[in-house]
Amino acid sequence: TSPTHNYSITLGESGCIKVWDYVRKEVAYTETFSGKGTCLEHVPFTEGNKGRVFAAGFDNGIVRIMSVTADGIVILKAFKAHEDAIAGIKYSDDLTMCVTASKTGDVFFFEIDALTDSQKYEPLCTIKLPDDAGVTDFKWNKDDKSVLFGCNTGYVY
């Protein structure tokens, strides 16, 4: 759900993204992309993005950064972050880092500047969790800017 506007965004396995206007009770915009949709994350609100920017991950390893505008869904940036399906995309509280994780445990950190440049995603580093990890969820630790990963094995990394 948008942090500031009357819409929600959905991403289907068909690769279809829909923007639902929940006040009018109708689909405002729809776009279909290659790959099955696996995750969706709104970029936290800033004066620059007005709460309209979101990231979508796909099973082909592609991440698309998009914006909801008066004309529809606009791609701001697209890049291949992983060789396999994206399990999730998260942003640091200060909006200077983004992390993506694949379902097989590959983790990619990006330096970003979500306050002024929604297209900046500079690769910073990558790590590999144990082969049997199977990332299920993750979040930023606000205290020390680390990332905690929940995995199929029951372990947290």
Side-chain angles (χ1 to χ4, degrees):
T1 303
S2 169
T4 56
H5 297 84
N6 297 330
Y7 68 80
S8 294
I9 303 171
T10 60
L11 172 61
E13 284 189 0
S14 64
C16 181
I17 293 177
K18 290 184 180 181
V19 177
W20 298 84
D21 183 325
Y22 54 79
V23 171
R24 292 185 180 144
K25 298 180 182 176
E26 65 185 19
V27 175
Y29 308 112
T30 184
E31 291 285 337
T32 302
F33 299 95
S34 63
K36 293 179 179 179
T38 57
C39 63
L40 186 72
E41 184 78 15
H42 247 99
V43 178
F45 176 87
T46 68
E47 285 301 319
N49 71 33
K50 304 293 186 200
R52 294 181 171 271
V53 177
F54 64 97
F58 295 84
D59 71 337
N60 55 10
I62 301 288
V63 173
R64 291 181 177 92
I65 312 302
M66 295 179 258
S67 179
V68 177
T69 70
D71 297 324
I73 300 167
V74 176
I75 296 176
L76 302 175
K77 183 159 187 92
F79 53 92
K80 187 163 178 77
H82 299 278
E83 291 300 317
D84 52 2
I86 306 291
I89 304 163
K90 301 290 183 191
Y91 292 89
S92 64
D93 286 343
D94 64 2
L95 298 176
T96 61
M97 300 275 297
C98 173
V99 62
T100 63
S102 73
K103 293 193 176 185
T104 58
D106 292 313
V107 178
F108 211 141
F109 290 86
F110 296 89
E111 183 179 0
I112 65 170
D113 182 3
L115 295 174
T116 60
D117 184 359
S118 58
Q119 295 186 21
K120 179 182 179 183
Y121 283 77
E122 299 288 333
L124 191 58
C125 69
T126 186
I127 61 170
K128 172 75 172 149
L129 298 177
D131 286 338
D132 63 346
V135 173
T136 56
D137 196 15
F138 57 101
K139 70 176 190 169
W140 285 94
N141 182 351
K142 295 178 183 185
D143 297 332
D144 62 6
K145 282 191 155 184
S146 62
V147 181
L148 302 172
F149 294 92
C151 300
N152 287 335
T153 59
Y155 294 109
V156 176
Y157 297 95

